[in-house]
């Protein structure tokens, strides 16, 4: 006996099921592809992060070596007295970051000279490297420079009256000529009796820096740094600026 013919509705139902399954398979395949791509992206991002973690300290080492080479190329050690003309470095917990006041405000600094503290909301540009008493910016302005990573070499009135010592300081300041290189954030400035107390007995030069602990993290413990010298010493200045570069400051990226 002949088999009954399948109805059109049965064929249509099977075709619809087959079409739906094909769509489901396509969606699943697309999802798997997206998951694979997502996985590759996650692996790629992790790889980049890992490379940055490894590269950062290497960059720091290279940067420090580069800075040392730059200072050696300046030949600062040939200028002035040997480093033994300077006392040991002194530090003190620093305050006053972002504590700005208007120019002309009286700011009583405890230290002679200051290495940190409340300061004016303006600062001196990087271009000028040497100042005499008659044209020097206000101390409150220069302290803002310290916040930006500058090293300031202050000289007292004994040095101001010594032409040979002043020539030595001019020679040091003339080495910092590249204003595009923030390693040259350096100024020679006078400290007068009108500014505050005297330097320690027998000391006529003071180098100051506003540090954040040496790691370049503005949130680090901030310290004021001093080194007093009996006379100008390029060798001591090189050591000081190598140990306390502009990157070790509350605001190193500000000029």
């Amino acid at each position: 006996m002949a088999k009954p013919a399948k109805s059109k509705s049965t064929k249509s139902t099977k075709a619809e099921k087959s079409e739906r399954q094909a769509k489901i398979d396509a969606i699943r395949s697309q999802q798997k592809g997206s998951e694979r791509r997502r996985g590759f992206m996650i692996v790629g991002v992790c790889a980049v992060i890992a490379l940055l973690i490894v590269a950062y300290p290497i960059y720091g080492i290279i940067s420090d070596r580069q800075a040392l080479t730059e200072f050696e190329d300046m030949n600062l050690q040939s200028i002035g007295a040997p480093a033994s003309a300077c006392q040991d470095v002194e530090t003190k917990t620093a305050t006053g970051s972002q504590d700005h006041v208007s120019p002309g405000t009286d700011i009583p600094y405890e230290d002679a000279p200051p290495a940190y503290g409340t300061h004016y909301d303006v600062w001196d540009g990087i271009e000028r490297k040497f100042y005499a008493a008659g044209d020097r910016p206000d101390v409150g302005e220069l302290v803002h420079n310290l916040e930006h990573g500058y090293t300031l070499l202050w000289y007292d009135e004994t040095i101001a009256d010594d032409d040979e010592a002043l020539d030595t300081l001019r020679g040091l300041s003339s080495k910092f000529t590249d204003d595009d290189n923030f390693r040259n954030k350096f100024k020679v400035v006078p400290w007068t009796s009108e500014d505050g107390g005297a330097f320690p007995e027998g000391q006529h030069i003071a180098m100051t820096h506003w540090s954040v602990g040496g790691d370049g993290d503005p949130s680090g413990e901030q310290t004021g740094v001093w080194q007093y010298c009996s006379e100008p010493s390029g060798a001591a200045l090189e050591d000081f600026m190598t140990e306390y570069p502009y990157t070790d400051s509350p605001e190193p990226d500000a000029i």
Side-chain angles (χ1 to χ4, degrees):
M1 185 172 63
K3 294 182 179 180
K6 294 182 178 179
S7 67
K8 291 184 179 180
S9 61
T10 302
K11 291 181 180 180
S12 175
T13 300
K14 286 186 175 181
E16 289 175 356
K17 287 182 178 179
S18 177
E19 184 178 350
R20 280 200 302 272
Q21 186 62 45
K23 289 181 178 179
I24 291 171
D25 291 342
I27 291 172
R28 287 175 177 172
S29 177
Q30 187 177 27
Q31 287 176 337
K32 288 181 180 179
S34 297
E35 289 173 357
R36 280 197 298 270
R37 286 193 294 273
R38 216 167 22 241
F40 291 147
M41 288 177 63
I42 292 172
V43 171
V45 170
C46 291
V48 170
I49 292 173
L51 285 172
L52 289 173
I53 292 173
V54 172
Y56 182 78
I58 294 175
Y59 170 79
I61 293 171
I62 293 173
S63 180
D64 289 343
R65 288 178 179 171
Q66 181 182 3
L68 183 59
T69 301
E70 288 173 353
F71 287 137
E72 288 176 346
D73 290 344
M74 288 182 182
N75 200 24
L76 296 176
Q77 294 193 7
S78 67
I79 302 176
S84 58
C86 300
Q87 298 181 340
D88 292 339
V89 170
E90 303 174 21
T91 61
K92 183 188 295 186
T93 300
T95 59
S97 181
Q98 290 291 316
D99 188 2
H100 299 156
V101 296
S102 299
T105 303
D106 182 41
I107 309 173
Y109 291 109
E110 296 180 359
D111 300 295
Y116 62 87
T118 301
H119 47 277
Y120 292 170
D121 56 10
V122 296
W123 61 93
D124 190 46
I126 194 173
E127 300 83 9
R128 183 84 179 266
K129 300 298 193 297
F130 181 89
Y131 284 97
D135 61 357
R136 189 209 67 191
D138 288 330
V139 174
E141 189 172 335
L142 292 170
V143 173
H144 201 150
N145 283 86
L146 288 169
E147 187 181 37
H148 289 182
Y150 282 74
T151 290
L152 299 184
L153 189 157
W154 309 78
Y155 61 94
D156 70 3
E157 291 169 338
T158 298
I159 297 294
D161 292 333
D162 185 333
D163 290 340
E164 184 176 349
L166 283 180
D167 285 342
T168 299
L169 291 177
R170 289 190 181 95
L172 285 173
S173 65
S174 70
K175 294 292 186 177
F176 295 84
T177 56
D178 185 0
D179 295 337
D180 293 325
N181 185 347
F182 282 12
R183 295 279 176 190
N184 289 330
K185 285 184 172 184
F186 171 74
K187 291 182 183 293
V188 175
V189 293
W191 178 260
T192 71
S193 57
E194 295 179 359
D195 297 318
F199 294 171
E201 185 176 357
Q203 308 304 304
H204 306 292
I205 296 290
M207 294 180 289
T208 61
H209 184 81
W210 191 335
S211 169
V212 291
D215 56 8
D217 180 3
S219 65
E221 182 178 355
Q222 298 187 14
T223 57
V225 184
W226 292 261
Q227 188 170 28
Y228 293 98
C229 309
S230 58
E231 54 185 312
S233 169
L237 175 62
E238 180 179 310
D239 292 342
F240 189 87
M241 293 190 70
T242 300
E243 182 68 20
Y244 302 101
Y246 83 94
T247 51
D248 175 28
S249 66
E251 299 178 13
D253 295 331
I255 195 168

